Amino acid sequence: MKSLSLSRRKRTLSAWLVLGCSVITLVGCSDTPVSLPTTTPDTAAATPSASTPATKPAATAVESELPYKFPLTGLPSAKEVKSRPFMVMVENAPQARPQTGLDQADIVYEILAEGEITRFVSVFQSHEATTIGPVRSIRPYFVEIGDALDAVIVHAGWSQEAMDMMAGRKLAHLDEVYGDGAYYWRSTDRKAPHNLYTSVDKMKKGAEARKFRSEWNGPLLTFAKDDGQSKLTGAAVHYILIPYLQGYFVSYEYNPTEGVYMRSMEGKPHLDKETGKQLQAKNLLVLESKHKIVDKEGRREVDVFGPNKGVILQEGKSQQITWERKNGMLRAYAEDGKEVPLLPGNTWVQIVPEGTALKME
């Protein structure tokens, strides 16, 4: 092939430069079970299946030049976010699955309720989720999480202790059972009580109608700086099984392409009902906590203050930590006492009884 003329080479170079600038502009604008703690870095290095994934996700800290960050995810925002988050109690009984909206929550806590069920404490601030639910009732330790977050608490019913707590502290909350039904709806494809839903828009209207304070006084999270990638120092973990109770075995498998842990329940992908999207976590914390059954209905006391032990997983790596609630959040701390930063993105927190045997590979 003949060489391009000098002028043609210049025109070609100019075209490539224009294309390159355009691309830059576009990018800029948009599992033998053991108790916690478990594997050590040395044993992980000797186990081929636990090797660090060869593919690492792209750094998130440089994906945008937007001037602000969402407080609960650390992801870029075009404007400063001062609005209070909403904390929605989402059911996890078999009749409530699959749920809707958990894929758009900034933070999700999964915690045992009474009997042999878990419940989700889902926190929304950065996404305008149009359907969230099914919504169910609240318990005292869930209230503690919402109060510390300075969130508007959204629920359908309560235990007496939880209601006394909210009333005594004068907490902002929307209760479908007593007075706030206008900000919820019931679907026709499921039977009550497993068919109650809300949305961010309806919650905003309810908060406005109830004249709740709109500006957030909540805590700040600590996110990784520099390249936004994990600096965890423990074993590589591509799979973790969290056995709550019968029917509530939760597992996560690492997806190196996306840099997230994909969530399953009972060995099947845990999907969002509306989008069909598998639930995932950029940051995954498994925290041991003191649990106590306090009445004949099986209601529990769950410690959401700490300190206690746990493990954090990010980008296929793990680190043994101590957790404690400080400055409004359940935070992870390394052996040296320094807080372990989160990666920009969403966070799932699995609160489990002390001595829970995890399976990690």
Side-chain angles (χ1 to χ4, degrees), residues 1 11 37 48 55 101 131 135 161 166 183 221 242 247 297 305 351 359-361:
M1 182 181 291
R11 290 197 300 271
T55 305
T131 307
V135 183
E161 186 180 356
M166 289 189 291
Y183 313 114
L221 291 173
I242 307 164
E297 283 77 24
F305 294 89
I351 297 182
K359 179 181 179 181
M360 294 197 285
E361 299 175 345

Side-chain angles (χ1 to χ4, degrees), residues 71-258:
L72 299 180
T73 67
L75 293 173
S77 172
K79 60 181 180 180
E80 188 174 8
V81 178
K82 295 184 177 182
S83 57
R84 294 179 77 176
F86 293 95
M87 189 196 85
V88 187
M89 298 306 308
V90 175
E91 184 184 9
N92 194 27
Q95 303 94 319
R97 305 175 198 157
Q99 295 86 355
T100 302
L102 294 177
D103 60 333
Q104 298 180 69
D106 295 344
I107 306 174
V108 181
Y109 301 83
E110 183 171 14
I111 316 176
L112 284 164
E114 65 270 14
E116 296 187 351
I117 63 173
T118 65
R119 193 156 288 175
F120 299 118
V121 181
S122 54
V123 183
F124 296 83
Q125 188 183 50
S126 65
H127 291 287
E128 299 288 324
T130 58
T131 307
I132 305 168
V135 183
R136 288 302 297 270
S137 59
I138 196 163
R139 300 294 179 262
Y141 43 96
F142 301 142
V143 174
E144 292 287 7
I145 293 175
D147 187 10
L149 276 170
D150 189 41
V152 176
I153 300 171
V154 182
H155 60 109
W158 30 264
S159 67
Q160 189 61 53
E161 186 180 356
M163 178 53 75
D164 291 347
M165 184 183 293
M166 289 189 291
R169 300 181 187 181
K170 298 181 179 180
L171 302 183
H173 69 105
L174 297 171
D175 181 6
E176 186 269 346
V177 175
Y178 290 95
D180 298 312
Y183 313 114
Y184 303 76
W185 72 91
R186 290 195 178 273
S187 68
T188 59
D189 60 340
R190 291 177 177 174
K191 294 182 179 181
H194 316 291
N195 63 346
L196 184 67
Y197 296 87
T198 188
S199 67
V200 170
D201 181 63
K202 282 188 174 291
M203 292 187 295
K204 285 182 176 180
K205 290 178 179 177
E208 184 178 356
R210 294 286 302 274
K211 301 186 184 304
F212 296 150
R213 170 175 44 83
S214 61
E215 188 165 334
W216 191 41
N217 294 330
L220 296 177
L221 291 173
T222 302
F223 290 96
K225 298 179 181 180
D226 304 319
D227 61 1
Q229 293 188 326
S230 178
K231 301 296 189 297
L232 299 187
T233 60
V237 175
H238 72 271
Y239 172 84
I240 181 170
L241 174 65
I242 307 164
Y244 278 97
L245 295 170
Q246 184 177 1
Y248 290 84
F249 279 40
V250 177
S251 62
Y252 291 85
E253 186 169 1
Y254 182 58
N255 180 335
T257 301
E258 300 294 332

Side-chain angles (χ1 to χ4, degrees), residues 54-71:
T55 305
K56 288 189 176 183
T60 56
V62 295
E63 63 185 19
S64 174
E65 295 180 359
L66 294 176
Y68 300 102
K69 304 288 185 183
F70 285 104

